[in-house]
């Protein structure tokens, strides 16, 4: 079952979070934009975060990015860390990639991979926000190791219309929503993962981030449990929800039910895996298992063998 999420910034003014609480399942709050200067902090960030913590509203955060060079990258990382310090996020942190200055020609996925690594090392989940055009025509699969938040509005009438279906965990379906306790329009989203349950209240203390569920042994069938989503089940078996929908004759991937038996094709013996620890390198892991880092990179879809992170589950062929 999807969850109702709003995303807000200083543009919504002073929000009555007590009135909002009963209408949503969570919020993603802008903490700021661009470089690490106080004038680019969101004026309502501290209050919005504190209110969500006081009222027990699950929340995450995002920063609007201008990152086109190394100096911007380091400054934005510092900005994010400063504003998240002391906060207890139970939704991911997202980097917002949509500024006109971030053209397709200036976009460099490596900057955001390194940013994600730095934020994960600080103990938070990291994700990428962009519109469908950006994901389809620029980002592609370059940032697939992170959770996706995709904007696709249709006629933007405040109601969900055509879901992007690019493997997104959160779909921002309108900027014309209304919620009691907020003046004016607000962005509306559907979230397809139980992030608070997965994240389990990660704090600012470094911990083992788990951006994706650890793969489970494949099986011929899977019996749906309460609260599961098709995308979550697909992730467990190393496939896509589109594939599971196709082989099971599911017309609406959002509608599965507890007790439903799903076919999982390609049954095989459980793959040997290794969970990355702090300080590990891909070449070091390869040496432990008498293989090569090139082989591990290939079978795990790792484009940059120098970028792995604690908690990542590596398949050993």
């Amino acid at each position: 079952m999807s969850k109702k999420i709003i995303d807000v910034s200083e543009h919504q003014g002073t929000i009555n979070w007590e009135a909002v609480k009963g209408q949503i399942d969570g919020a993603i709050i802008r903490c700021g934009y661009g470089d690490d200067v106080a004038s680019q902090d969101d004026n309502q960030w501290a209050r919005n975060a504190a209110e969500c913590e006081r009222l027990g509203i699950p929340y995450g955060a995002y920063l609007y990015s201008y990152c086109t060079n190394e100096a911007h990258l380091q400054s934005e990382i510092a900005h994010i860390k400063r504003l998240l310090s002391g906060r207890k996020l139970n939704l991911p942190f997202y980097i917002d990639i949509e500024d006109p200055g971030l053209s397709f020609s200036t976009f460099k996925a490596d900057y955001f991979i390194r940013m994600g690594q730095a934020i994960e090392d600080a103990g938070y989940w990291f994700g990428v926000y962009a519109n469908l055009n950006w994901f389809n025509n620029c980002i592609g699969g370059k940032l697939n190791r992170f959770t996706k938040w995709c904007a696709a509005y249709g006629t933007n009438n405040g109601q969900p219309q055509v879901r992007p279906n690019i493997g997104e965990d959160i779909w921002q379906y309108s900027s014309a929503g209304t919620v009691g306790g907020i003046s004016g329009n607000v962005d509306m989203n559907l979230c397809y993962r139980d992030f608070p349950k997965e994240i389990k209240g990660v704090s600012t203390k470094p911990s083992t981030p788990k951006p994706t569920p650890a793969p489970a042994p494949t099986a011929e069938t899977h019996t749906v449990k309460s609260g599961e989503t098709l995308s979550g089940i697909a992730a467990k078996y190393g496939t896509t929800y589109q594939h599971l929908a196709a082989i099971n004759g599911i017309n609406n991937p959002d509608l599965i039910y507890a007790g439903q038996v799903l076919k999982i094709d390609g049954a095989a013996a459980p793959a040997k895996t290794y969970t990355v620890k702090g300080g590990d390198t891909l070449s070091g892991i390869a040496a432990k298992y008498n293989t090569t880092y090139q082989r591990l990179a290939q079978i795990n879809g790792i484009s940059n063998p120098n970028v792995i992170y604690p908690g990542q589950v590596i398949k050993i062929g």
Side-chain angles (χ1 to χ4, degrees):
M1 180 181 295
S2 60
K3 297 179 181 294
K4 183 177 179 180
I5 305 289
I6 59 173
D7 61 276
V8 298
S9 70
E10 63 188 37
H11 299 299
Q12 275 68 49
T14 302
I15 295 172
N16 180 349
W17 285 101
E18 291 189 350
V20 169
K21 180 179 179 179
Q23 304 171 69
I24 64 170
D25 297 302
I28 303 178
I29 305 167
R30 190 180 77 159
C31 60
Y33 56 94
D35 290 338
D36 187 22
V37 291
S39 62
Q40 293 183 187
D41 297 353
D42 187 289
N43 291 335
Q44 291 290 323
W45 158 248
R47 178 183 180 275
N48 285 338
E51 282 293 275
C52 285
E53 290 176 5
R54 179 179 71 88
L55 295 167
I57 299 172
Y59 79 99
Y62 75 94
L63 182 112
Y64 187 98
S65 179
Y66 299 107
C67 181
T68 58
N69 57 49
E70 185 69 23
H72 280 314
L73 171 63
Q74 297 304 324
S75 189
E76 290 193 3
I77 290 172
H79 199 182
I80 296 163
K81 286 183 175 181
R82 175 170 62 83
L83 292 176
L84 294 189
S85 179
R87 295 298 175 192
K88 297 179 180 179
L89 274 59
N90 31 35
L91 296 177
F93 171 86
Y94 288 90
I95 192 68
D96 183 337
I97 305 175
E98 61 177 327
D99 188 75
L102 290 172
S103 65
F104 289 2
S105 61
T106 60
F107 170 79
K108 291 187 177 180
D110 179 64
Y111 288 150
F112 297 101
I113 291 172
R114 290 162 58 200
M115 180 185 290
Q117 179 71 61
I119 301 311
E120 289 176 346
D121 287 347
Y124 300 94
W125 282 38
F126 183 83
V128 177
Y129 168 92
N131 60 47
L132 184 59
N133 180 48
W134 265 87
F135 274 117
N136 281 341
N137 298 307
C138 182
I139 298 173
K142 300 180 181 108
L143 301 175
N144 275 355
R145 60 166 283 193
F146 305 116
T147 173
K148 293 180 185 177
W149 175 16
C150 181
Y153 294 167
T155 58
N156 200 17
N157 64 359
Q159 299 298 319
Q161 294 180 43
V162 180
R163 181 177 170 179
N165 283 330
I166 59 166
E168 72 280 1
D169 292 315
I170 302 178
W171 168 28
Q172 185 184 80
Y173 64 81
S174 179
S175 63
T178 57
V179 173
I182 300 177
S183 299
N185 290 341
V186 63
D187 293 344
M188 306 300 296
N189 306 266
L190 292 176
C191 179
Y192 303 99
R193 287 175 69 174
D194 190 346
F195 280 119
K197 182 177 179 180
E198 293 183 58
I199 293 173
K200 296 180 181 177
V202 172
S203 71
T204 56
K205 294 181 180 179
S207 61
T208 303
K210 297 179 181 177
T212 57
T218 56
E220 293 186 358
T221 62
H222 176 89
T223 302
V224 178
K225 301 177 181 62
S226 178
E228 285 191 312
T229 63
L230 199 62
S231 59
I233 294 168
K236 291 180 180 179
Y237 293 98
T239 185
T240 66
Y241 72 85
Q242 294 97 329
H243 180 64
L244 292 187
I247 66 174
N248 286 279
I250 298 172
N251 294 323
N252 185 345
D254 293 332
L255 296 179
I256 60 174
Y257 54 89
Q260 184 176 3
V261 178
L262 301 179
K263 291 184 292 185
I264 310 291
D265 64 353
K272 183 185 292 185
T273 61
Y274 176 83
T275 301
V276 178
K277 302 177 179 61
D280 275 340
T281 64
L282 200 61
S283 58
I285 296 168
K288 292 179 182 179
Y289 291 95
N290 297 316
T291 185
T292 66
Y293 75 85
Q294 294 94 334
R295 169 65 176 161
L296 294 186
Q298 179 186 28
I299 65 176
N300 287 278
I302 297 172
S303 58
N304 185 347
N306 294 319
V307 180
I308 59 174
Y309 53 92
Q312 183 177 4
V313 178
I314 303 291
K315 291 185 289 185
I316 310 295

